[in-house]
Amino acid sequence: MQENLEIKLPFSKFDVAFGEFLQSKVPSQDTNHQILASLVSYLYFKGHTCLDLDLLATGNWAAMSFEPIWGRLLLKSLSASAQSLPWKDGENSPLVLDGKLLYLRKNWEAEQRIINSIKSRLALNCDPVHDLAEDLNILFGPDEEADQPNWQKLACAIATRKYFTLITGGPGTGKTTTVTKLLSLLITNARKQDPNCSLNIALAAPTGKAAARLGSSIKNAIDLLPTQFKFEVATAPVTLHKLLNLRSDQWSGEINHLIHDVIVVDEASMISLELMDGLLRSAKLDCRIILLGDKDQLASVEAGAVMGQLCSSAPRGNYLPDTIRWLSALTQHDLKQWGGNGSALEQQTVMLRKSYRVEGGGLINQWAEMINGGQQTDFDNLRDRWKGLKLWKHDQKSHSDIEHLIQPIQRLNVKNFNEPSTKIFLCNSWSNYLELIRSTRFDLTIDEPEIHLMAKRILDAFGEFQVLCALREGPWGVHYLNQMIAQHLGFKDLGWYSGRPVMVTKNDYNLDLRNGDVGVCLELTGALHVAFPSNTGEDKGKSIRWIPAHRLDSVETVFAMTIHKSQGSEFNHICLVVPGERNAVMTRELIYTGLTRAKKKITWVVPDEIELYRAVESRLSRSGGLDALHTKT
């Protein structure tokens, strides 16, 4: 390796050691080879499944998670040296060169299994649903807009044809409403064929909180179905790890063969390459797999951008003439605008385009579309909108329903989180929560159902508002902000205390807790316990699980959480914190994901608006080969 290059480049010790290990096994005279091996390892830990040699050759450092300054240290000949790598030859080579993409072998094999599994599922036709057009009209009623397709109805129709379907859409577009009607359609059709038939359905999501939200949303949607289409969910939603019987956050390679007829996975943008591989390997070939998610949200923390790559052409539709004729016959809509020469996967992909969320006067959706647009007009509009935002004032009551309607988006004008106005804002925003913490006492004179109800009120009050930020460290990171917020609210900034909200940071199967679960520490009969909401409904009807505080090791205070950790959650009001200095993690996808966690109201904390504009103009890009599924064969 070039002298001291491992010091100048941002390679970890592991990245460097990986290159040195390969060099020790099969020595190479080309110093570029060891750098390439370390670079592949570096990109893997940055979320990329491979090294795109075209990006390397053209110096597209931002797309490769490199600061531009690091790119100057990489030799111009680096990309060309990939062809002569000695560690890519043979069936068991540690690296694989596939065209212009250089992989760790395990990632290449996982991608190939995913591609082949999806192709196999798309090659099979499902048994036709009888009375499909009639049932769709009953479920969805007359179309609200004669000149616009009902994309929810189209998604249901398309999902009946094949064993793999992608449904993507922004906040409020009705993804869970759509899949609920799809499930009712499939269950009703199965009963028509055999009154004793019972479809084995699994509902899952990448996190416990997302699974709980999926269950709640589906339950609410079932209540609104026509009587003849109502159904009961036999099993509660679970995390993907629990569905696949994984005992850690890493795919072990063991296959848990699933017997389900239908598997629905929500928040699919969070699915990593390994987890997707595990799901497809575990599900039988004739199991309907339906993935729901927002393709524009952040990808998984681990390597891969599965949903984003699979749905990359969703806005265009790219439906074949046969697909358009079939859909038009069902819905009487002219879909030529979304016609094309798309692949088999694109025929099974639907983008929901209409938002039904009207809370906040629709402004939150407008901001989300503006930030996600990516055109110069969107950036100009963002600057104009930003300058027109009203500032939060001390006399405002942040929990007022009237204010949500009048001022759903506002700015808190502070240069750091230790200012007096920040304290007033936080106390106002969490006023219901703070009052319940002060006034609620749990003792032996209260019966158990009432204790659960009291704890649930506190959890709900805390969850009304949330501070979201991009970073973990620094003056705008979660560690510092959590200390400052605790002080502002009158709590201790360290250790256990009644009123401390915590997030689980590691799966604990003994306590049935998952990474991302949020609870509140409360004093129960003289001892500190953490009240967690039930994620699965399998705890004998209790809505709260009580865990002694001393048994919880992997938790952290969560007055503030990272935007990554907030995925799969929704809050009535969020405070979205943008750091005051440039950082590589600040991208359009991050801002969009944070913004769309809010249902009613957003308060921005942006010490330097230039950093907001830079973030929105910066796109997150992850290299991978799943785009091969968009090639028509």
Side-chain angles (χ1 to χ4, degrees):
M1 185 172 286
Q2 277 182 273
E3 184 179 359
N4 295 326
L5 189 57
E6 66 270 23
I7 298 175
K8 295 177 182 178
L9 287 170
F11 293 151
S12 69
K13 290 181 179 179
F14 182 92
D15 302 331
V16 175
F18 177 68
E20 291 174 344
F21 172 77
L22 296 184
Q23 176 69 12
S24 69
K25 294 298 181 181
V26 181
S28 169
Q29 299 302 311
D30 188 342
T31 56
N32 282 348
H33 289 161
Q34 196 172 329
I35 298 173
L36 282 169
S38 295
L39 186 54
V40 172
S41 173
Y42 166 84
L43 290 172
Y44 170 67
F45 287 105
K46 288 293 183 180
H48 300 262
T49 58
C50 60
L51 164 61
D52 188 323
L53 296 173
D54 282 342
L55 294 179
L56 181 60
T58 57
N60 191 342
W61 311 120
M64 297 170 59
S65 305
F66 264 92
E67 291 290 346
I69 188 173
W70 302 120
R72 300 192 195 106
L73 299 174
L74 295 173
L75 300 178
K76 298 292 185 182
S77 59
L78 198 57
S79 179
S81 293
Q83 299 296 330
S84 58
L85 269 169
W87 311 311
K88 63 175 177 57
D89 301 324
E91 293 183 357
N92 296 311
S93 61
L95 300 177
V96 174
L97 181 60
D98 188 345
K100 292 293 186 179
L101 304 179
L102 181 62
Y103 292 84
L104 296 173
R105 173 162 288 278
K106 71 167 189 174
N107 288 346
W108 180 81
E109 290 179 345
E111 261 195 11
Q112 294 305 303
R113 285 193 296 266
I114 290 171
I115 290 170
N116 291 333
S117 177
I118 291 176
K119 284 183 176 179
S120 296
R121 295 170 191 277
L122 293 174
L124 297 176
N125 292 321
C126 299
D127 291 336
V129 172
H130 297 276
D131 306 318
L132 179 58
E134 179 182 342
D135 287 350
L136 285 173
N137 288 333
I138 296 172
L139 281 167
F140 289 94
D143 292 340
E144 298 175 4
E145 301 176 39
D147 59 337
Q148 290 295 322
N150 184 328
W151 289 102
Q152 293 185 8
K153 181 189 286 188
L154 293 174
C156 269
I158 284 173
T160 65
R161 304 181 83 188
K162 299 285 185 178
Y163 289 101
F164 188 83
T165 303
L166 301 166
I167 300 176
T168 186
T173 52
K175 294 183 287 293
T176 49
T177 298
T178 302
V179 83
T180 302
K181 292 182 178 181
L182 170 61
L183 292 176
S184 71
L185 189 70
L186 296 176
I187 291 170
T188 302
N189 180 71
R191 287 173 181 166
K192 287 178 182 177
Q193 309 310 308
D194 180 358
N196 297 318
C197 178
S198 178
L199 291 182
N200 192 335
I201 297 172
L203 305 175
T207 68
K209 179 169 282 190
R213 245 190 74 204
L214 174 63
S216 175
S217 298
I218 285 182
K219 183 179 182 301
N220 292 336
I222 289 173
D223 291 340
L224 300 176
L225 290 175
T227 302
Q228 68 270 37
F229 286 97
K230 291 185 185 295
F231 64 96
E232 292 185 6
V233 179
T235 57
V238 296
T239 64
L240 263 177
H241 279 83
K242 187 168 185 178
L243 177 68
L244 301 177
N245 197 30
L246 300 181
R247 297 291 297 177
S248 72
D249 289 333
Q250 295 298 319
W251 175 245
S252 66
E254 296 181 6
I255 306 300
N256 180 36
H257 294 287
L258 303 174
I259 60 172
H260 300 91
D261 302 305
V262 183
I263 297 176
V264 174
V265 184
D266 196 14
E267 297 292 346
S269 63
M270 300 167 67
I271 300 177
S272 67
L273 184 78
E274 286 185 323
L275 207 51
M276 186 66 179
D277 180 31
L279 173 63
L280 293 176
R281 292 173 73 185
S282 299
K284 58 184 184 177
L285 194 58
D286 61 348
C287 168
R288 296 178 191 265
I289 295 178
I290 299 114
L291 302 186
L292 310 174
D294 187 341
K295 68 179 182 62
D296 297 314
Q297 282 189 27
L298 286 168
S300 65
V301 176
E302 294 81 28
V306 175
M307 192 69 173
Q309 290 178 11
L310 294 182
C311 295
S312 61
S313 61
R316 299 190 300 274
N318 275 351
Y319 297 125
L320 295 170
D322 285 348
T323 303
I324 288 179
R325 279 192 292 270
W326 183 74
L327 289 173
S328 297
L330 282 173
T331 64
Q332 284 73 55
H333 277 297
D334 183 356
L335 301 172
K336 291 179 182 176
Q337 178 183 346
W338 291 278
N341 192 32
S343 65
L345 177 63
E346 288 165 322
Q347 309 313 298
Q348 287 300 120
T349 303
V350 183
M351 181 173 175
L352 306 183
R353 301 162 195 268
K354 178 180 178 180
S355 177
Y356 295 86
R357 183 175 292 174
V358 297
E359 293 168 312
L363 281 178
I364 295 174
N365 286 329
Q366 292 176 25
W367 273 70
E369 291 172 0
M370 179 174 59
I371 284 173
N372 201 35
Q375 303 299 320
Q376 186 59 48
T377 53
D378 296 305
F379 299 145
D380 294 341
N381 196 12
L382 172 62
R383 291 181 174 89
D384 293 339
R385 289 282 191 101
W386 178 261
K387 296 183 186 304
L389 284 182
K390 292 184 179 180
L391 297 179
W392 179 85
K393 297 179 181 178
H394 291 191
D395 59 350
Q396 290 182 202
K397 298 294 184 182
S398 294
H399 58 275
S400 164
D401 289 335
I402 295 176
E403 187 195 335
H404 285 320
L405 296 174
I406 296 175
Q407 199 164 301
I409 302 180
Q410 60 185 4
R411 292 163 50 196
L412 176 61
N413 191 23
V414 294
K415 295 300 181 183
N416 63 70
F417 232 65
N418 199 21
E419 296 184 19
S421 58
T422 308
K423 177 178 180 178
I424 299 171
F425 166 74
L426 292 169
C427 289
N428 278 354
S429 300
W430 264 309
S431 59
N432 290 338
Y433 171 68
L434 296 174
E435 176 59 31
L436 286 172
I437 290 293
R438 285 191 293 264
S439 62
T440 305
R441 295 292 178 269
F442 300 90
D443 57 51
L444 295 175
T445 64
I446 306 173
D447 60 19
E448 188 176 9
E450 182 62 21
I451 285 178
H452 285 288
L453 183 60
M454 292 160 61
K456 187 175 185 304
R457 288 195 193 105
I458 291 174
L459 284 164
D460 289 345
F462 174 73
E464 287 288 304
F465 172 72
Q466 183 65 55
V467 177
L468 301 182
C469 51
L471 310 176
R472 294 193 61 80
E473 306 297 341
W476 300 104
V478 289
H479 290 155
Y480 177 74
L481 293 190
N482 273 314
Q483 291 182 24
M484 292 307 307
I485 294 170
Q487 293 176 20
H488 284 323
L489 299 181
F491 296 118
K492 296 191 301 181
D493 58 3
L494 294 171
W496 287 105
Y497 51 85
S498 181
R500 179 192 179 194
V502 295
M503 173 182 281
V504 177
T505 59
K506 184 179 179 181
N507 291 342
D508 189 327
Y509 294 93
N510 293 322
L511 297 177
D512 194 26
L513 293 174
R514 301 294 183 269
N515 186 359
D517 287 351
V518 172
V520 173
C521 182
L522 300 168
E523 187 173 331
L524 179 67
T525 62
L528 292 177
H529 289 68
V530 178
F532 288 96
S534 170
N535 280 340
T536 64
E538 296 172 354
D539 53 354
K540 299 180 181 179
K542 297 177 182 177
S543 60
I544 299 295
R545 293 172 294 157
W546 295 91
I547 309 294
H550 65 82
R551 294 194 63 189
L552 295 168
D553 297 323
S554 302
V555 294
E556 61 186 21
T557 303
V558 72
F559 289 114
M561 70 171 69
T562 62
I563 294 172
H564 272 96
K565 286 288 188 179
S566 74
Q567 283 186 270
S569 302
E570 282 188 334
F571 309 94
N572 281 343
H573 180 190
I574 65 164
C575 175
L576 190 53
V577 179
V578 176
E581 63 284 334
R582 189 170 187 178
N583 193 290
V585 305
M586 294 301 301
T587 63
R588 184 186 311 168
E589 289 81 3
L590 189 84
I591 299 296
Y592 172 82
T593 301
L595 184 79
T596 53
R597 300 310 90 206
K599 292 174 63 178
K600 294 182 178 180
K601 185 170 182 178
I602 297 166
T603 300
W604 291 92
V605 173
V606 182
D608 185 350
E609 65 186 75
I610 297 300
E611 297 308 323
L612 173 63
Y613 303 149
R614 282 177 175 167
V616 172
E617 292 178 0
S618 175
R619 291 227 64 170
L620 176 67
S621 176
R622 285 190 174 182
S623 298
L626 294 179
D627 286 342
L629 283 163
H630 297 297
T631 302
K632 190 176 180 184
T633 56

